[in-house]
Amino acid sequence: AEAYACWLQYKKIEDVKWLDNYASYCLNIGVVGTSEIIHSALDELSLAFHSMFGKKPTVTPHVDSETSIIIGTYQDMIEEEFALETDVFQSLNDEGYILRTVNHLEKNCVLLVGKTDKGVLYATHHLLRLIQARESLHQLDIVEYPKNQIRMLNHWDNMDGSVERGYSGNSIFYENNKFTTNLERIKDYARLLSAVGVNSISINNVNVWEKETYLITRKLLQDVTSIADIFRAYGIRLFLSINFASPMELGDLSTADPLDNNVKSWWKDKVKEIYQYIPDFGGFIVKADSEHRPGPFSYGRDHADGANMLGEALEPFGGVVVWRCFVYNCMQDWRDRSTDRARAAYDHFKPLDGKFKDNVILQVKNGPMDFQVREPVSPMLGAMEKTNQIIEFQIAQEYLGQQKDLAFLIPMWKEVLDFDTYAKGEGSTVKKIVDGSLYEYTYSGIAAVSNIGDDINWTGNTLAQANLFGYGRLTWNPNLSSEEIAKEWVQVTFGNDPIVVETISTMLLDSREIYENYTTPLGIGWMVNPNHHYGPNVDGYEYSRWGTYHFADRDGIGVDRTIETGTGYAGQYFSPNKEMYNSLADCPDELLLFFHHVPYTHRLKSGETVIQHYYNTHFKGVEQVEDLRKKWSLLEGKIDEYRFHNVKERLHMQLENAIEWRDQVNTYFYRKSGIPDEKNRRIF
Ligand code: BDP
């Protein structure tokens, strides 16, 4: 039960001091106004209070002298009665809220007012987090609103029930090429997501295969509608990934050319039909001309032609097109060094800036390659002044240990969001680009590939729940620190025992660096097994068509992406990042091999040589995993058995994986270079 509940534990409160503090507020709810979303908020409160205080709260559709929590939207509240400041609400966006302790009818009450009903729902969850973290309610004075407009999850679920890059069982949406009948689980998912502020979701893989192409047909739209209804009650808008070739695969057309009039009207009719089912449908996610998916290139058209055609169809209904920028040649010849996959998105899209319709949003992966443990920030971010952008993260740990190994991703995402692109001079951070403020985008925000499946604990490794939770929290407010998010998550998930909070927080916060240590430090990436991407295989992709090379030979390693002698990729950045990455002397150690090919004996800023750094980090990484295991074992008895054993087992797998990485990587580079470890440790 604990594993399934994630951050909605609502454990019974035993401590009398806290019970008194909370019970004085929580047993009498007065609601002003109503809506489906407010209903969800009330359900959550009732459930939580019942579970924490052992007593169901009374809910009345008005406020009276008994009321201890007052709930409603700004619109429905009487400003004077509750001393609401008009200017505060004017400054909030639609999802904002205030949470305040007030004196009403000579009684202390918690006032919970949303700018709209969505704000009410988010305020509710805020209150429940406070209680679960044992914060006092006596003097609340909180004004909150999300910093990012679109806060989306992308599912890579297929209708056969599999999940592309899924590490937690099968899809919760589909089984055997049909929609699931377990709608209760989808509702629980919606609850979890709304608790951390996610407001958009796409429910099928970006690779739209045959079955999923049919999601936009009458046969399946009824089922899609049922799912959309569930999410709507939690403030979440539904999107679908579409197949660009749908007019051919579903219609009788012989082309999907975006400039063809029949194609245009086919999409217009299709969109109209979808909105008859789902009036607030979000729009389409499109992976086009990428990894063998169809797109406008087949017709000699560009991405703007393709995206705008769909944008035109969605426009009358307020829908948007989320067009992915993960476009590159996945069939390149490894013998030909003239192309660089890292350059691809920028090369394709930069020339199109200004050509996209206003309801088209480009979705850009955080790095130029593909979700490696360390990549520079994509130079696309900041490069498109006139085109709406959202960033794409991957919560699913495809390249980060697949939810067997521990990797808390918040610190990595924070690095990205805090990165200064210098696009409009100093201070042009990625977070200002994706929150829309730098270029005043109409649409902006953050999307991420979800990491959940139908495993009992949703995420395979229970500690991977922290990434989904943290994604939501960070997307809501990118200024939260990794430490705050980690602590908050542990508290709502495992309770408030200081040893538990401290131990798990530390484990989380160190984990990404540990993973990097035993895998691919210095920004090199891709030494994984082909296809499934788990475990080491140093040359696994070295002679393949995917464009992911490390160029290790007997003398050195790294990809020369400099302007003078390399692929020129460094030139895609604004100054001074361009010069920094381009210069061997100035390039930060952690990205050195992403930008430069250097001899093994090259000295890092730390003073170590590259080869010695590799040996050191790989030995250290394994020791650190052993230490993680020790830390976890001390928690035995402090958390429930199921979750304790789940993580214990995963840490064991992680140790085996780390040892394999250490031994393969160290041996490989020792054999290539012939340079021994200075400390004479065992290399095979
Ligand atoms: C890669 C995945 C692949 C996805 C692709 C994408 O390996 O399964 O389809 O990204 O983002 O990371 O489209």
Side-chain angles (χ1 to χ4, degrees):
E2 286 93 350
Y4 183 84
C6 298
W7 46 90
L8 306 177
Q9 297 286 327
Y10 309 139
K11 286 269 174 214
K12 191 159 190 341
I13 298 176
E14 310 282 356
D15 188 325
V16 184
K17 173 182 144 236
W18 286 116
L19 257 187
D20 288 349
N21 184 308
Y22 298 141
S24 64
Y25 293 101
C26 293
L27 293 175
N28 212 305
I29 306 176
V31 197
V32 188
T34 182
S35 82
E36 197 185 13
I37 292 180
I38 291 186
H39 200 86
S40 301
L42 289 172
D43 276 355
E44 197 67 30
L45 279 181
S46 297
L47 178 94
F49 288 172
H50 188 193
S51 157
M52 291 190 289
F53 312 123
K55 223 172 164 186
K56 269 220 156 100
T58 333
V59 181
T60 43
H62 56 262
V63 175
D64 59 30
S65 59
E66 297 289 303
T67 306
S68 50
I69 297 193
I70 306 164
I71 287 185
T73 63
Y74 175 59
Q75 210 192 339
D76 290 335
M77 294 259 176
I78 303 162
E79 283 171 46
E80 305 80 55
E81 190 177 351
F82 304 108
L84 300 177
E85 308 88 339
T86 326
D87 53 329
V88 171
F89 279 89
Q90 262 158 6
S91 70
L92 291 183
N93 52 35
D94 277 358
E95 295 168 307
Y97 56 85
I98 65 159
L99 192 55
R100 203 175 264 174
T101 318
V102 293
N103 200 282
H104 185 253
L105 303 176
E106 285 164 35
K107 187 162 175 263
N108 262 356
C109 294
V110 172
L111 178 66
L112 199 152
V113 189
K115 176 98 175 243
T116 67
D117 54 1
K118 292 188 183 178
V120 173
L121 181 60
Y122 296 137
T124 302
H125 280 296
H126 194 145
L127 178 67
L128 293 172
R129 276 201 303 275
L130 291 175
I131 296 176
Q132 294 194 87
R134 300 292 181 269
E135 302 278 344
S136 163
L137 304 186
H138 290 327
Q139 286 178 354
L140 297 179
D141 190 9
I142 296 167
V143 180
E144 269 281 342
Y145 63 93
K147 305 285 183 295
N148 288 293
Q149 178 195 18
I150 297 175
R151 305 182 300 281
M152 178 181 272
L153 283 177
N154 293 161
H155 276 267
W156 286 2
D157 294 27
N158 302 315
M159 287 201 73
D160 65 4
S162 64
V163 178
E164 181 156 334
R165 311 309 177 188
Y167 311 105
S168 342
N170 286 324
S171 171
I172 64 162
F173 295 107
Y174 318 101
E175 51 196 51
N176 298 325
N177 296 310
K178 291 201 183 87
F179 272 86
T180 178
T181 48
N182 186 358
L183 297 182
E184 206 45 43
R185 180 144 199 179
I186 295 182
K187 182 177 163 191
D188 287 335
Y189 189 42
R191 290 173 53 225
L192 286 167
L193 296 185
S194 73
V196 293
V198 169
N199 67 3
S200 308
I201 191 164
S202 64
I203 59 164
N204 65 304
N205 193 353
V206 287
N207 295 314
V208 185
W209 310 112
E210 194 193 332
K211 296 280 179 197
E212 298 81 28
T213 303
Y214 282 85
L215 282 169
I216 53 173
T217 60
R218 190 160 317 137
K219 219 174 88 211
L220 291 173
L221 272 171
Q222 195 52 54
D223 291 319
V224 179
T225 305
S226 312
I227 308 284
D229 291 345
I230 296 172
F231 283 118
R232 181 182 306 107
Y234 288 89
I236 302 167
R237 255 178 121 177
L238 187 118
F239 291 68
L240 290 173
S241 302
I242 54 110
N243 181 340
F244 195 79
S246 296
M248 297 162 76
E249 295 194 19
L250 301 176
D252 320 314
L253 303 188
S254 55
T255 174
D257 181 351
L259 299 192
D260 183 286
N261 282 329
N262 293 325
V263 171
K264 288 186 184 183
S265 50
W266 188 89
W267 277 111
K268 283 189 177 146
D269 292 344
K270 184 45 78 186
V271 167
K272 199 165 153 198
E273 187 187 351
I274 297 173
Y275 277 87
Q276 278 163 5
Y277 285 87
I278 308 167
D280 62 345
F281 180 65
F284 296 145
I285 316 290
V286 196
K287 173 174 178 176
D289 290 316
S290 167
E291 299 181 334
H292 312 298
R293 302 317 299 145
F297 285 171
S298 312
Y299 311 97
R301 314 297 182 196
D302 64 28
H303 287 277
D305 297 327
N308 290 343
M309 181 270 296
L310 295 170
E312 229 171 81
L314 286 156
E315 196 171 33
F317 306 95
V320 299
V321 183
V322 179
W323 191 270
R324 296 178 81 235
C325 294
F326 185 61
V327 178
Y328 69 99
N329 177 9
C330 66
M331 295 290 285
Q332 78 179 61
D333 186 341
W334 60 268
R335 300 167 197 86
D336 170 14
R337 289 195 177 200
S338 69
T339 47
D340 176 6
R341 171 165 163 183
R343 294 187 57 118
Y346 187 100
D347 285 346
H348 279 298
F349 286 92
K350 173 74 186 168
L352 301 178
D353 191 21
K355 296 206 174 141
F356 291 93
K357 282 182 70 71
D358 213 31
N359 66 334
V360 173
I361 308 168
L362 297 184
Q363 181 164 310
V364 183
K365 288 193 184 188
N366 63 270
M369 297 294 278
D370 196 6
F371 302 132
Q372 299 300 291
V373 67
R374 182 81 63 172
E375 281 186 50
V377 165
S378 168
M380 275 289 285
L381 294 159
M384 306 287 283
E385 193 173 341
K386 302 189 205 88
T387 312
N388 301 316
Q389 278 190 342
I390 61 181
I391 195 171
E392 176 178 328
F393 292 131
Q394 192 184 39
I395 312 175
Q397 292 166 236
E398 176 177 357
Y399 290 99
L400 283 106
Q402 305 197 345
Q403 289 148 240
K404 295 189 179 90
D405 303 33
L406 180 61
F408 183 54
L409 303 175
I410 312 306
M412 179 169 103
W413 297 332
K414 274 196 76 72
E415 272 165 30
V416 173
L417 293 170
D418 288 339
F419 179 76
D420 195 344
T421 66
Y422 289 90
K424 265 176 89 177
E426 199 175 344
S428 306
T429 52
V430 170
K431 66 184 166 199
K432 285 194 197 156
I433 295 162
V434 302
D435 74 13
S437 61
L438 191 76
Y439 292 136
E440 294 179 26
Y441 290 148
T442 313
Y443 296 102
S444 57
I446 306 188
V449 183
S450 180
N451 65 344
I452 67 115
D454 70 354
D455 276 2
I456 255 311
N457 66 357
W458 302 86
T459 53
N461 187 336
T462 301
L463 297 185
Q465 292 175 359
N467 286 327
L468 184 58
F469 175 91
Y471 168 72
R473 298 290 293 127
L474 183 67
T475 305
W476 179 279
N477 181 6
N479 297 324
L480 291 172
S481 69
S482 301
E483 290 75 14
E484 285 171 300
I485 293 175
K487 182 173 175 213
E488 209 182 74
W489 177 74
V490 182
Q491 287 178 319
V492 291
T493 306
F494 291 106
N496 294 284
D497 179 339
I499 296 179
V500 174
V501 175
E502 174 60 29
T503 308
I504 301 182
S505 298
T506 316
M507 289 175 70
L508 291 176
L509 291 165
D510 295 342
S511 60
R512 185 265 191 132
E513 194 203 297
I514 296 174
Y515 187 81
E516 183 178 33
N517 280 345
Y518 64 78
T519 58
T520 53
L522 305 179
I524 193 68
W526 275 281
M527 294 184 181
V528 289
N529 283 304
N531 307 319
H532 64 74
H533 299 167
Y534 188 75
N537 186 341
V538 181
D539 281 337
Y541 276 108
E542 196 56 18
Y543 306 102
S544 79
R545 324 197 103 204
W546 297 90
T548 52
Y549 313 120
H550 54 62
F551 296 115
D553 57 22
R554 64 178 190 178
D555 300 319
I557 178 173
V559 190
D560 185 352
R561 293 193 162 104
T562 63
I563 300 166
E564 297 76 17
T565 55
T567 69
Y569 167 78
Q572 292 183 340
Y573 289 89
F574 292 93
S575 296
N577 292 334
K578 185 194 302 207
E579 290 76 13
M580 172 181 70
Y581 289 139
N582 198 54
S583 141
L584 183 57
D586 297 334
C587 183
D589 281 351
E590 71 266 16
L591 286 170
L592 184 74
L593 304 182
F594 195 93
F595 286 97
H596 299 274
H597 184 87
V598 298
Y600 293 115
T601 50
H602 174 83
R603 275 201 195 274
L604 299 171
K605 295 193 175 53
S606 66
E608 288 168 323
T609 60
V610 165
I611 186 86
Q612 193 56 40
H613 182 80
Y614 254 60
Y615 295 146
N616 290 347
T617 50
H618 283 82
F619 283 113
K620 184 171 169 197
V622 171
E623 286 162 21
Q624 288 173 308
V625 176
E626 278 162 353
D627 186 52
L628 287 177
R629 292 182 74 207
K630 263 186 222 124
K631 288 201 169 92
W632 186 255
S633 69
L634 295 176
L635 300 182
E636 183 153 25
K638 288 188 178 292
I639 55 188
D640 59 285
E641 260 180 55
Y642 183 89
R643 291 188 296 180
F644 179 77
H645 285 292
N646 167 265
V647 175
K648 187 176 164 185
E649 192 184 278
R650 301 277 155 160
L651 286 168
H652 181 72
M653 297 183 208
Q654 179 171 9
L655 182 61
E656 288 185 342
N657 190 34
I659 291 172
E660 205 183 335
W661 270 97
R662 176 194 66 192
D663 292 342
Q664 283 205 27
V665 169
N666 285 349
T667 303
Y668 179 98
F669 286 104
Y670 173 61
R671 289 184 186 172
K672 278 253 149 140
S673 69
I675 302 171
D677 172 31
E678 283 167 6
K679 298 184 190 162
N680 273 320
R681 286 162 295 192
R682 182 144 193 236
I683 291 175
F684 294 87

